[in-house]
Amino acid sequence: MATYTYRCAVDGPVDLRVPIGTAPVTIACPTCGVLSPRMITAPMLGLADRGRMAVIDRSERSRTEPDVVSSLPRRPGRPAAPFDPRTRTLPRP
Ligand SMILES: [Zn+2]
C-alpha cells in the first residue's frame, strides 16, 4: 500500500491509501466532492528492514481493519495471566 496525496481546491490535501500503481489521476474529494488532481510528492519509502516495515504496515492497517481475536496473545517466557472470574460476564463475539 502507498499513500497518494490529492489537492482539493476547497479543503486542501487529501490522502488516499491504495496499492502501488493503482492510484487514479483524480479523485472526488471525500468532504466536498470536488474533482481533485493528484500531487507529486516525495516518496515515503521505508528504508527499514522488511520485518520492521511489516510491523508498521500492520499497525497502520489496524486503525481501519483491526484483527478479531478470541484470546490475548501469549508472550514467550512469561506465564499466562491468572484467570479473572469477572471476564465471564464480558460479551462474547
Ligand atoms: Zn474538498
Side-chain angles (χ1 to χ4, degrees):
M1 297 291 267
T3 301
Y4 295 91
T5 303
Y6 294 80
R7 183 184 304 276
C8 172
V10 178
D11 301 307
V14 176
D15 288 339
L16 176 69
R17 284 186 57 81
V18 293
I20 291 175
T22 63
V25 176
T26 59
I27 62 168
C29 173
T31 304
C32 66
V34 169
L35 205 57
S36 307
R38 195 168 116 191
M39 296 171 46
I40 303 299
T41 59
M44 298 177 65
L45 302 176
L47 299 177
D49 62 89
R50 293 176 63 99
R52 186 173 294 185
M53 290 306 297
V55 170
I56 292 170
D57 286 344
R58 184 175 177 182
S59 175
E60 289 183 6
R61 189 175 56 245
S62 71
R63 289 189 286 177
T64 57
E65 304 167 30
D67 291 338
V68 176
V69 297
S70 58
S71 64
L72 293 174
R74 293 226 172 171
R75 291 182 176 180
R78 292 188 176 193
F83 178 73
D84 186 340
R86 294 176 296 181
T87 59
R88 287 189 185 130
T89 60
L90 294 174
R92 302 288 177 207

mmCIF file of all heavy atoms in Angstrom, residues 7-12 14 28-36, ligand 1:
data_model
loop_
_atom_site.group_PDB
_atom_site.id
_atom_site.type_symbol
_atom_site.label_atom_id
_atom_site.label_comp_id
_atom_site.label_asym_id
_atom_site.label_seq_id
_atom_site.Cartn_x
_atom_site.Cartn_y
_atom_site.Cartn_z
ATOM 1 N N ARG A 7 -4.960 17.206 -4.224
ATOM 2 C CA ARG A 7 -5.199 18.571 -3.756
ATOM 3 C C ARG A 7 -6.614 19.000 -4.106
ATOM 4 O O ARG A 7 -6.956 19.222 -5.272
ATOM 5 C CB ARG A 7 -4.217 19.550 -4.384
ATOM 6 C CG ARG A 7 -4.413 20.987 -3.852
ATOM 7 C CD ARG A 7 -3.526 21.984 -4.519
ATOM 8 N NE ARG A 7 -2.115 21.643 -4.417
ATOM 9 C CZ ARG A 7 -1.341 21.941 -3.373
ATOM 10 N NH1 ARG A 7 -1.839 22.569 -2.354
ATOM 11 N NH2 ARG A 7 -0.071 21.598 -3.372
ATOM 12 N N CYS A 8 -7.425 19.165 -3.071
ATOM 13 C CA CYS A 8 -8.776 19.689 -3.242
ATOM 14 C C CYS A 8 -8.670 21.206 -3.187
ATOM 15 O O CYS A 8 -8.035 21.759 -2.285
ATOM 16 C CB CYS A 8 -9.703 19.178 -2.138
ATOM 17 S SG CYS A 8 -11.308 19.973 -2.155
ATOM 18 N N ALA A 9 -9.304 21.888 -4.152
ATOM 19 C CA ALA A 9 -9.238 23.353 -4.194
ATOM 20 C C ALA A 9 -9.938 23.973 -2.992
ATOM 21 O O ALA A 9 -9.633 25.098 -2.613
ATOM 22 C CB ALA A 9 -9.873 23.861 -5.488
ATOM 23 N N VAL A 10 -10.849 23.253 -2.368
ATOM 24 C CA VAL A 10 -11.598 23.786 -1.227
ATOM 25 C C VAL A 10 -10.972 23.366 0.105
ATOM 26 O O VAL A 10 -10.757 24.181 0.989
ATOM 27 C CB VAL A 10 -13.074 23.324 -1.289
ATOM 28 C CG1 VAL A 10 -13.846 23.827 -0.090
ATOM 29 C CG2 VAL A 10 -13.710 23.761 -2.592
ATOM 30 N N ASP A 11 -10.663 22.075 0.244
ATOM 31 C CA ASP A 11 -10.239 21.530 1.543
ATOM 32 C C ASP A 11 -8.736 21.311 1.683
ATOM 33 O O ASP A 11 -8.271 20.967 2.766
ATOM 34 C CB ASP A 11 -10.953 20.198 1.793
ATOM 35 C CG ASP A 11 -12.457 20.374 1.782
ATOM 36 O OD1 ASP A 11 -12.945 21.244 2.514
ATOM 37 O OD2 ASP A 11 -13.128 19.648 1.029
ATOM 38 N N GLY A 12 -7.982 21.437 0.609
ATOM 39 C CA GLY A 12 -6.543 21.230 0.712
ATOM 40 C C GLY A 12 -6.159 19.792 0.418
ATOM 41 O O GLY A 12 -6.875 19.083 -0.279
ATOM 42 N N VAL A 14 -5.616 15.850 0.390
ATOM 43 C CA VAL A 14 -6.401 14.678 0.764
ATOM 44 C C VAL A 14 -5.528 13.461 0.501
ATOM 45 O O VAL A 14 -4.968 13.325 -0.589
ATOM 46 C CB VAL A 14 -7.695 14.581 -0.086
ATOM 47 C CG1 VAL A 14 -8.450 13.311 0.239
ATOM 48 C CG2 VAL A 14 -8.558 15.807 0.117
ATOM 49 N N ALA A 28 -12.646 12.297 -6.390
ATOM 50 C CA ALA A 28 -13.610 13.236 -5.830
ATOM 51 C C ALA A 28 -13.254 13.431 -4.361
ATOM 52 O O ALA A 28 -13.048 12.460 -3.639
ATOM 53 C CB ALA A 28 -15.027 12.705 -5.964
ATOM 54 N N CYS A 29 -13.147 14.661 -3.921
ATOM 55 C CA CYS A 29 -12.809 14.943 -2.523
ATOM 56 C C CYS A 29 -13.854 14.279 -1.622
ATOM 57 O O CYS A 29 -15.054 14.431 -1.849
ATOM 58 C CB CYS A 29 -12.783 16.451 -2.286
ATOM 59 S SG CYS A 29 -12.574 16.892 -0.547
ATOM 60 N N PRO A 30 -13.420 13.527 -0.592
ATOM 61 C CA PRO A 30 -14.392 12.863 0.284
ATOM 62 C C PRO A 30 -15.220 13.845 1.108
ATOM 63 O O PRO A 30 -16.276 13.489 1.599
ATOM 64 C CB PRO A 30 -13.518 11.982 1.187
ATOM 65 C CG PRO A 30 -12.141 12.529 1.085
ATOM 66 C CD PRO A 30 -12.041 13.224 -0.232
ATOM 67 N N THR A 31 -14.772 15.094 1.219
ATOM 68 C CA THR A 31 -15.504 16.075 2.016
ATOM 69 C C THR A 31 -16.516 16.852 1.175
ATOM 70 O O THR A 31 -17.681 16.958 1.526
ATOM 71 C CB THR A 31 -14.519 17.067 2.666
ATOM 72 O OG1 THR A 31 -13.563 16.326 3.421
ATOM 73 C CG2 THR A 31 -15.239 18.036 3.577
ATOM 74 N N CYS A 32 -16.059 17.404 0.030
ATOM 75 C CA CYS A 32 -16.937 18.287 -0.747
ATOM 76 C C CYS A 32 -17.281 17.737 -2.133
ATOM 77 O O CYS A 32 -18.144 18.270 -2.798
ATOM 78 C CB CYS A 32 -16.297 19.662 -0.876
ATOM 79 S SG CYS A 32 -14.787 19.664 -1.858
ATOM 80 N N GLY A 33 -16.586 16.702 -2.599
ATOM 81 C CA GLY A 33 -16.905 16.100 -3.878
ATOM 82 C C GLY A 33 -16.241 16.744 -5.080
ATOM 83 O O GLY A 33 -16.444 16.299 -6.209
ATOM 84 N N VAL A 34 -15.452 17.799 -4.875
ATOM 85 C CA VAL A 34 -14.760 18.469 -5.979
ATOM 86 C C VAL A 34 -13.693 17.537 -6.540
ATOM 87 O O VAL A 34 -12.999 16.849 -5.794
ATOM 88 C CB VAL A 34 -14.128 19.796 -5.490
ATOM 89 C CG1 VAL A 34 -13.180 20.373 -6.517
ATOM 90 C CG2 VAL A 34 -15.212 20.797 -5.138
ATOM 91 N N LEU A 35 -13.572 17.505 -7.864
ATOM 92 C CA LEU A 35 -12.561 16.679 -8.504
ATOM 93 C C LEU A 35 -11.174 17.200 -8.130
ATOM 94 O O LEU A 35 -10.868 18.382 -8.328
ATOM 95 C CB LEU A 35 -12.758 16.710 -10.014
ATOM 96 C CG LEU A 35 -12.225 15.520 -10.791
ATOM 97 C CD1 LEU A 35 -12.831 14.213 -10.273
ATOM 98 C CD2 LEU A 35 -12.493 15.675 -12.267
ATOM 99 N N SER A 36 -10.344 16.344 -7.558
ATOM 100 C CA SER A 36 -9.047 16.762 -7.025
ATOM 101 C C SER A 36 -7.927 16.032 -7.743
ATOM 102 O O SER A 36 -7.906 14.798 -7.783
ATOM 103 C CB SER A 36 -8.971 16.443 -5.527
ATOM 104 O OG SER A 36 -10.085 16.983 -4.857
HETATM 105 ZN ZN ZN B 1 -12.884 19.123 -0.787
#
